[in-house]
Amino acid sequence: MSINKEEITDYFKRLQDDICGQLEEADGEGRFRQDEWERPEGGGGRTRVIEGTHLEKGGVNFSAVHGPMPERIVQALRVEAGDFYATGVSIVLHPRNPLVPIIHMNVRYFEMSGGLWWFGGGIDLTPHYVDRKEARFFHRQLRTVCERHHPDYYPVFKKWADDYFYLKHRKETRGIGGIFFDRLSDQEGFAKEQRFAFVRDVGELFCPVYLPLLEENKERPFTQTQQEWQYLRRGRYVEFNLVWDKGTKFGLDTEGRTESILMSLPPQARWKYDFHPEPDSAEAETLAWLKKGIEWER
Amino acid sequence: MSINKEEITDYFKRLQDDICGQLEEADGEGRFRQDEWERPEGGGGRTRVIEGTHLEKGGVNFSAVHGPMPERIVQALRVEAGDFYATGVSIVLHPRNPLVPIIHMNVRYFEMSGGLWWFGGGIDLTPHYVDRKEARFFHRQLRTVCERHHPDYYPVFKKWADDYFYLKHRKETRGIGGIFFDRLSDQEGFAKEQRFAFVRDVGELFCPVYLPLLEENKERPFTQTQQEWQYLRRGRYVEFNLVWDKGTKFGLDTEGRTESILMSLPPQARWKYDFHPEPDSAEAETLAWLKKGIEWER
């Protein structure tokens, strides 16, 4: 008997609990505050936000919403009209220390009344300063988890992330990418349980892949220049989320809960007209890494 | 003989010069830096940015671009394919003092090879703190200029601004509005020269309507709380420009010069999860004013 939406939903709730617990421990003093919210048309969520010592601002959202599919979404997703059910966990963390990367993770499940279903999700890392060794560590772990499920997963989903987390107007990737996937259903004979097993592995990779980067760097001293650069890079993060991110656009367009959607925005950001870092500086080196198609795991 | 695009373009250049000169004088020490840029497909512009004493970050852009109309724009504007010509001046000023409002002004002219032409533009004010008297002063001046040209202009363009400068996802107007208009052509027997005369009056209203607000408030002392609030309101400005503003979207979508388009973003901005000002505070009072349909000039 196939896995059902209740089991997936329960799993996502437990995942949120588990990640929040581990993040609180890693932060030290910070604690998540929770807002439970309801969607008038059906379902709701638990938004959890931390403003901690090392995690300057972070959100870990769970939601499970359902009801008749709004007409705009029917068109956008190119599905038949009917009732939908969507659940997932979504995370964005903005660390205080510029030597710790910003991270984003999302796992989600969607189904329609006619029997259509799919999983989606991804993890991507946005270092303020690209560290080649950390990037390799990050991508190797993603590759390892992907290869446990299918040899094509890592190369395909890695490229998908490169293409998705891209600021077209800057010709820059958001960071060093990661993996991104959507509409994973029963194509090529995959069972639902197999897809779900992969998504669970992605969700459970979040802490092992991020906490070491936080631990190793959170206490490192940093300069005013590095802090300024962090704020400028956060400006780019804002640009991506508000201009290009389909999830954000979708949420705002369809009157989702604004504060939950925009918890991904940084505590502060800067914009400086036509800023170019000094040639050969660490900032210039990072910019040079923000390209598609880099084989980080090599 | 009807006014031609060269005359309009020259006028916009002079308007940019005039406004930049007056703004430098008002700022004191700040000077505009100019970047001239060319568009590979035809035309270009002069982007001018100031980082001054009272104008923390401001941009006054002139551009005049032409060439074959990109397919996406043909569809978006619902016009026939052909060659286009577009010129205009666009301004956004972010003052340092939170008691001085943010202002935006735009005047523009567009024509197509088949003979189609129109003017567009607007002015809107975004006070960090709404001052009822200043709002009245601002709207009365707009009304006076509008009434010089047509009795319907002020009510129609004021409503248009309320609807345009609106953050749907926040259910907030961007500020106290102003006027917004687009596709002003030869409807209802208007001559091109009449439309142009109106647009000139709007452009020339910019300094008289803004400089007094800058002068009266730029030296006023302000608190840390007011500064924080300014940064949060700048966050809202970013949200409007990146999520809703059609000009920005269009520019980024069609590979305009990113730094010129995004000169409208503030020097810095903040986001605080689910922030609500204290009841009965000046901040709460300002929020309560951010509604459509207020008759500010009364």
Side-chain angles (χ1 to χ4, degrees):
Chain A
M1 165 130 185
S2 179
I3 188 93
N4 64 36
K5 64 178 185 294
E6 287 78 16
E7 290 168 272
I8 297 168
T9 307
D10 285 346
Y11 172 78
F12 284 156
K13 276 188 186 172
R14 290 196 307 275
L15 181 67
Q16 184 196 32
D17 289 338
D18 175 56
I19 289 174
C20 287
Q22 292 197 54
L23 288 175
E24 286 183 347
E25 199 173 319
D27 186 72
E29 299 196 355
R31 291 293 171 266
F32 280 93
R33 95 175 229 203
Q34 170 167 307
D35 283 332
E36 285 191 83
W37 51 272
E38 282 186 20
R39 183 173 170 274
E41 303 80 7
R46 308 191 301 205
T47 294
R48 291 189 190 158
V49 174
I50 190 168
E51 292 174 281
T53 307
H54 301 294
L55 299 172
E56 190 174 346
K57 186 175 174 223
V60 180
N61 283 342
F62 159 81
S63 66
V65 298
H66 57 84
M69 191 73 157
E71 179 53 31
R72 308 182 59 145
I73 311 195
V74 167
Q75 289 179 13
L77 292 181
R78 286 161 286 127
V79 294
E80 301 281 309
D83 286 338
F84 79 102
Y85 185 92
T87 183
V89 171
S90 193
I91 306 177
V92 174
L93 304 179
H94 291 282
R96 198 173 299 274
N97 192 313
L99 304 174
V100 179
I102 306 166
I103 193 160
H104 159 253
M105 193 273 275
N106 171 246
V107 281
R108 58 186 182 272
Y109 171 73
F110 176 88
E111 69 175 45
M112 286 293 296
S113 40
L116 188 70
W117 60 268
W118 68 67
F119 289 96
I123 307 188
D124 79 300
L125 196 73
T126 306
H128 309 96
Y129 288 92
V130 172
D131 177 303
R132 193 64 186 78
K133 269 169 64 184
E134 289 184 350
R136 187 182 298 119
F137 162 82
F138 177 76
H139 273 276
R140 282 193 179 170
Q141 290 203 60
L142 295 181
R143 188 182 62 182
T144 302
V145 162
C146 285
E147 285 178 349
R148 224 181 279 155
H149 295 271
H150 196 283
D152 290 345
Y153 272 7
Y154 179 74
V156 172
F157 299 162
K158 192 269 184 196
K159 182 178 183 314
W160 205 338
D162 276 358
D163 291 335
Y164 185 81
F165 299 108
Y166 187 66
L167 285 79
K168 206 180 108 194
H169 65 291
R170 299 284 189 184
K171 297 188 168 53
E172 282 173 17
T173 51
R174 173 159 93 170
I176 62 160
I179 55 172
F180 183 92
F181 50 92
D182 202 8
R183 297 206 180 208
L184 300 191
S185 189
D186 56 6
Q187 305 97 332
E188 300 172 41
F190 272 99
K192 192 169 186 176
E193 175 51 48
Q194 287 176 299
R195 298 293 203 181
F196 184 40
F198 170 64
V199 166
R200 286 198 309 268
D201 274 359
V202 170
E204 286 161 35
L205 183 58
F206 178 79
C207 285
V209 89
Y210 188 63
L211 294 183
L213 302 177
L214 179 62
E215 277 309 315
E216 270 167 49
N217 297 301
K218 70 186 185 187
E219 303 279 12
R220 284 174 66 193
F222 56 86
T223 65
Q224 189 61 33
T225 305
Q226 289 171 325
Q227 177 110 78
E228 285 285 315
W229 176 248
Q230 177 184 36
Y231 292 162
L232 292 171
R233 297 317 299 171
R234 285 176 172 178
R236 294 288 210 272
Y237 211 84
V238 171
E239 290 177 24
F240 178 81
N241 283 16
L242 297 184
V243 177
W244 301 109
D245 186 55
K246 292 195 181 85
T248 303
K249 240 205 120 25
F250 207 68
L252 297 181
D253 260 2
T254 55
E255 310 199 11
R257 182 174 183 267
T258 294
E259 286 296 336
S260 299
I261 299 164
L262 297 187
M263 65 89 193
S264 64
L265 299 182
Q268 80 269 89
R270 294 203 176 196
W271 284 270
K272 208 167 155 49
Y273 173 72
D274 208 25
F275 177 78
H276 298 284
E278 296 284 317
D280 303 322
S281 62
E283 292 77 19
E285 199 189 310
T286 281
L287 266 192
W289 281 117
L290 301 181
K291 301 276 169 268
K292 295 182 183 188
I294 297 173
E295 296 183 324
W296 296 104
E297 84 288 7
R298 288 282 164 93
Chain B
M1 164 124 188
S2 176
I3 188 94
N4 64 37
K5 65 178 184 290
E6 288 76 17
E7 289 167 273
I8 297 168
T9 306
D10 284 347
Y11 171 77
F12 284 155
K13 276 187 187 173
R14 290 197 307 275
L15 181 68
Q16 183 195 33
D17 289 339
D18 175 55
I19 289 174
C20 287
Q22 292 197 55
L23 288 175
E24 287 182 348
E25 201 173 317
D27 187 72
E29 299 196 356
R31 290 294 170 264
F32 279 94
R33 93 175 231 206
Q34 170 168 306
D35 283 332
E36 286 191 82
W37 51 271
E38 282 184 20
R39 183 172 169 273
E41 303 81 9
R46 308 190 304 203
T47 295
R48 291 189 190 157
V49 175
I50 191 167
E51 291 173 281
T53 306
H54 301 294
L55 298 172
E56 189 174 347
K57 186 176 172 221
V60 180
N61 283 341
F62 159 83
S63 67
V65 299
H66 57 84
M69 191 73 157
E71 179 54 30
R72 305 181 63 142
I73 312 198
V74 168
Q75 289 179 11
L77 294 182
R78 286 161 284 127
V79 295
E80 301 281 307
D83 286 338
F84 80 102
Y85 184 91
T87 183
V89 172
S90 193
I91 306 177
V92 174
L93 304 179
H94 291 280
R96 197 173 299 276
N97 192 314
L99 303 173
V100 179
I102 306 166
I103 192 160
H104 159 254
M105 193 274 275
N106 171 248
V107 281
R108 57 184 183 272
Y109 171 74
F110 176 87
E111 68 173 47
M112 287 292 299
S113 39
L116 186 70
W117 60 269
W118 68 68
F119 289 96
I123 307 188
D124 80 299
L125 196 74
T126 307
H128 308 96
Y129 289 91
V130 172
D131 176 303
R132 194 64 187 78
K133 269 169 62 184
E134 289 185 351
R136 187 182 298 119
F137 162 82
F138 177 76
H139 272 276
R140 283 192 177 170
Q141 290 205 60
L142 295 181
R143 187 182 61 181
T144 301
V145 162
C146 285
E147 286 177 349
R148 223 181 279 155
H149 295 272
H150 196 283
D152 290 347
Y153 273 7
Y154 179 74
V156 172
F157 299 163
K158 191 272 183 193
K159 183 179 183 310
W160 204 337
D162 275 357
D163 291 336
Y164 184 82
F165 299 110
Y166 186 67
L167 285 79
K168 206 179 107 194
H169 64 291
R170 300 283 189 184
K171 297 187 170 48
E172 281 174 19
T173 52
R174 173 158 93 170
I176 62 158
I179 55 172
F180 184 91
F181 50 90
D182 202 9
R183 298 207 180 207
L184 300 191
S185 190
D186 56 6
Q187 305 97 333
E188 301 171 40
F190 272 100
K192 191 168 185 175
E193 175 51 46
Q194 287 176 297
R195 297 295 203 182
F196 183 39
F198 170 63
V199 166
R200 286 199 307 270
D201 274 1
V202 170
E204 287 161 34
L205 183 60
F206 179 79
C207 286
V209 89
Y210 188 64
L211 295 184
L213 302 177
L214 180 61
E215 278 309 315
E216 270 166 50
N217 297 302
K218 71 186 185 187
E219 304 280 10
R220 286 174 64 193
F222 56 86
T223 66
Q224 188 62 33
T225 304
Q226 290 171 324
Q227 176 109 79
E228 285 285 317
W229 176 249
Q230 176 183 39
Y231 292 162
L232 291 171
R233 297 316 300 172
R234 285 176 172 178
R236 294 287 209 272
Y237 212 85
V238 171
E239 289 177 22
F240 179 81
N241 283 15
L242 297 184
V243 177
W244 300 110
D245 186 55
K246 292 196 179 83
T248 302
K249 244 209 114 28
F250 208 68
L252 297 180
D253 259 2
T254 56
E255 309 198 14
R257 183 174 181 265
T258 293
E259 286 296 336
S260 300
I261 300 164
L262 297 187
M263 66 90 193
S264 64
L265 298 181
Q268 78 270 89
R270 293 203 177 196
W271 284 269
K272 208 166 156 47
Y273 173 72
D274 206 25
F275 177 77
H276 298 283
E278 296 285 317
D280 303 318
S281 62
E283 292 78 19
E285 198 189 311
T286 280
L287 265 192
W289 282 117
L290 302 181
K291 302 276 169 265
K292 295 184 184 186
I294 298 174
E295 296 183 325
W296 296 103
E297 85 288 5
R298 290 279 164 95

